[in-house]
Amino acid sequence: MQQYIDFFNSQRQKIDESCAPLLNSFREKAFDTFQGLGFPAYQSEDYQHTNLSALLKPDFGFYLNHPNAEINPHKVFPCNVPNLNSYKHFVVNGCYYREPMAQELPQGIFSGSLNEFAKQHPAVFSEYYNWQVDEKGDGLAAFNTMFVQDGYVLYVPKNVVCEKAFQLTNISGGKVDSLTNRRILVILESGAQAKLLVCDHTTDTQPLLAATQVVEIYAEENASFDFYELEESSPNTIRLTTNFVQQADSSQVIIHNITLSNGITRNNYQVDLEGEHAETHLYGMVIADAQQKVDNFTLINHHVPNSLSNELFKYVLDDEAIGTFGGRIIVVEDAQKTQACQNNHNLLGSSGCRMFSKPQLEIYADDVKCSHGMTTGQLDETALFYMCSRGISIQEAVLLLKFAFTNDVLQSIRLEGLRDRLKLLIEKRFRGELVKCQGCI
Amino acid sequence: MSEDTNDILNEFTNRDYEYGFSSDIHTEFIPKGLNETIVRTISAKKNEPEWLLDFRLKAFRYWLTLGMPQWAQLNIPPIDYQDMIYYAAPKKKEGPKSLDEVDPELLKTFDRLGIPLHEQKMFSGMAVDAVLDSVSVKTTYKDTLIEKGIIFCSFSEAVQEHPDLVKQYLGSVVSYRDNFFAALNSAVFSDGSFVFIPKGVRCPMELSTYFRINAMNTGQFERTLIVAEEDTYVSYLEGCTAPVRDENQLHAAIVEIIVLDRAEVKYSTVQNWYPGDKDGKGGIYNFVTKRGICKGDSSKISWTQVETGSAITWKYPGCILAGDNSVGEFYSVAVTNHFQQADTGTKMIHIGKNTKSRIVSKGISAGQSQNSYRGLVRVGTQAENARNHSQCDSLLLSDTSGAHTFPYMDIQNETAIVEHEATTSKISEDQLFYCNQRGISTEEAVGLIVNGYAKEVLNKLPMEFAVEAQKLLQISLEGSVG
Amino acid sequence: MLTIKDLHASINGREILSGLNLQINAGEVHAIMGPNGSGKSTLAAVLVGHPAYEVTQGEVLFEGENLLEMTPEVRSRLGLFLSFQYPVEIPGVSMVNFMRTAVNEHRKYKGETLLSAGEFLKMMREKQDIVELDKNLVNRSVNEGFSGGEKKRNEIFQMAMLEPKLAILDETDSGLDIDALRIVANGVNQLKRPDNAAIVITHYQRLLDYIKPDIVHVLYNGRIIKTGTPELALELEEKGYDWLK
């Protein structure tokens, strides 16, 4: 931790140099917070299985002051998700990749660089940027604010409905151990609707590639937002994300977090349902083998009556993979008629893998419908036998059942092109044909 | 059978905490406070061997290095461990050899609690060890039991009469290093029960210990040790009460159970320590470490608890399933009302192959109380084919109470099947109205429905306790329906 | 026995009963028929004091006393019984325990001595036979896992146990096959005495083949629009309700 404090103190000018002054204006306070809190302590209740201090101990290089990276994303990732018509954006090692030609966007939508947004829309930026980090953040989120260089903003003004999805691809690579700190800000004004797909990729499998990412999502009244996150990185990555979601009356947010391949991942989600009839659907799927580690932590706060949350996380673990699911739902006093449902189901495929699960409910209102369930086990032997007795090979039967296990998460994806693509990728993954990322999906 | 249960339930009318009286018994205290001298004094009072004093001192020194655990969903006011008496005993000549020598006031106390210590008056088929404050005052049916080779006596007596057994097993399941309260108990424990069932013996009657706190400003630190050798069975019951007092009193007990091949121990608790008044004043702080080890093949431990008392409950009776094919069970009903807080659950540690565990927890919260289930299920790497099923339900009877579920599942073997489910609900208005239409008042309807809700657990209790427990559920919820 | 004068009742601010009048005397069986949504079940619910309904106007006297001021359990103890259209399941509470509590509450209210376990069981056995209720059902939880027919029989069994002065059968025939219907109706008929009365709420005539009403009322839009002899029921079966509107 001290190394980052020293770095911040000594390199402040370089950190600020290529960023919008408005963005820089948030660093000082974040620094105070980080100094006060540090990284969340290992083995504390919410960090029992991820040791942030140890993960961030190496002497990482920072990418500072580089408006456009040496990587040309179009060359590295030429492939597209077929049938997914989207506005494409890239963030390379934490910096937004400026396209030579700007894309035409409908009705006042901003989709682009965080620094650019700070310059073009200073008032909106000041109103939303970092507000949730300040309100709810821990040391890790503050750390991101201290060092963030750039990121992506999606701003959809009042009542604008955008059918076409936005797609952001995060690309990390390089020759030395590096730590990038990137940011996503999503603002949907009342009645706005949009969909965003974020994919994480790495170009190199050698040096240690660590990244922190803070996502702040604001869904105002009646807004609807679909957020799909897909990690397809490599064993040399460390991904630490913090996602804050703030929802007003009758807003609807659907989140999918899918880890197909990775190194060490910790995803934090905090959803605050501040408006009545607000709805959150939070889905997760983890496919991990070798020494992959995936730790998903979710916190959903029902602050007002009549809100709904529905959570489903599924893990398929093999080899020596370690999966962690921490889920907490808090229903405050007076948040009557809350509906909250939390489920975590896991498949263990080998004797070396390990699953920690902690689905938790904290309920302070009586007229609620809340439940949670967790199962960890293996494929149903009678189903396997039944399939074999019909002439299906055991390998194929296993594959079919594993695939069926992931199906309900896939079915809840509302981007058809992405759903089809994922089905293919997951099947390949289960067949062992997908070793690492194969182009952008 | 269930008919009789219902009878008593139905004829029951609402009462306050009925064990709230205190008795005027001549009591011997040691000075307030906790230090090495106190630990030595307790040990000396009990005329303990050197090794036991060593054990206490080690525990005490370790305790000094610890802080109170903070992780529970409990709001525990600061406890001044120096402002407490660690040993209080009814004055007596020399350990009562026969009932005639027991202080009549003492007999009266236990009579009022419904625990007659005259064998002829007792429930047939139940032997009782009665513990008042820091010492055991009387153990019944000892002679009948000894004929079968069963040892059932106070812990102090076991230290004198069966030191080898005590030395072999003491601290073998709950080490003094286990946690803050375990260390404290290991340093200052005063009495409790000792049970030893020799190979091949099925204990012919229920064994029971009745704990009573009477003295003021006194903590109770008892220790229970149960050893079931190969091919044995014993059902053990524990009950507890305390007088109504404005101060909070501390109860920090340890229970250790060792079960060998094909043996089974059924441990039932009806915990009814004084819960404090309706404004949250007074009540017992109940910080208990209970754990059993299924050492042998095909051994079984079954915990059943009905928790209605105490201002604060911190308690996680667990099973270490070390033997292959061993089974652990945990059935719990926890009721909190007024300002009570409970953080209770279990630990199921699967180590052996083909081990099974089952958890059924029913939480009922009323008033301004907070009620949490906290449980760990761990399947070790060698625990092939482990099975666990947990069902944790919460029933909320007021919009100012809280119901929380904190399961922890750590699965390290791919052949395991672990399932957890939990629901939170309130009593439906349809159910209440249906009862009303049949002439049943709302208060009574709530009692019926709550008992129905807890039935799966109550059914696991031995008969006499089940009746007691059903009554308790209703008393505990008295005044909780608005 | 029961006098309803100008009864208005609403649920969630919506008026369902709008000026209903009805007089029922001891020894009578009244059938109340009417199309869906006419207020039949509301009338039953209001009479037994369901909290979801609000009485906005009118008067209901039961044996001369103001029924509307009483809690549901007091109405029950005075002898009002509703056979629910949808009986409620109460997990974990055995029928035995449930009924014993109810019967003893009734007895307590009337100043009678409480039944011992033995007496109570004897009474249960007798009453079970009336509706040919499976002996095992009483050991199960209230209505939990009962089939539709079992639930309805269980309602009539409870009626036999509580011996009401005025029984209200709300769509007791719905969801019953012919055999079950016969059993339920037989049960009701056996319980009929000169000093008690019944209101049979039904949509169809077929129940009335088994339970013979003395008087038939047609309820429509929250009022009784026609009252007649049992022949009225047959006429309704033939012509439907439209000709009355």
Side-chain angles (χ1 to χ4, degrees), chain A residues 155-183:
Chain A
Y155 165 63
V156 187
K158 198 170 172 181
N159 292 330
V160 174
V161 174
C162 189
E163 281 303 327
K164 191 167 159 180
F166 296 87
Q167 184 181 0
L168 169 69
T169 307
N170 281 316
I171 299 169
S172 307
K175 300 283 171 276
V176 293
D177 292 353
S178 65
L179 172 59
T180 50
N181 301 290
R182 56 185 188 241
R183 196 86 175 200

Side-chain angles (χ1 to χ4, degrees), chain B residues 3 434 437-439 444, chain C residues 76-77 82 96 105 155 158:
Chain B
E3 263 320 287
Y434 191 71
Q437 210 299 306
R438 298 300 184 246
E444 193 151 2
Chain C
S76 166
R77 293 168 197 168
L82 174 63
V96 179
E105 285 293 331
E155 294 291 289
Q158 293 178 41

Side-chain angles (χ1 to χ4, degrees), chain A residues 5 54 60 111 163 171 202 234 268 287 306 311 340 359 384 390 398 419 433:
Chain A
I5 292 171
F60 289 111
S111 168
E163 281 303 327
I171 299 169
T202 43
S234 40
N268 291 308
I287 298 175
N306 294 309
E311 194 176 352
L384 281 176
R390 295 291 179 267
V398 165
R419 194 167 60 225
E433 292 165 7

Side-chain angles (χ1 to χ4, degrees), chain C residues 8 39 58 83 93 111 141 151 228 231:
Chain C
H8 291 251
S83 166
V93 177
S141 298
K151 280 184 184 168
E231 283 67 44

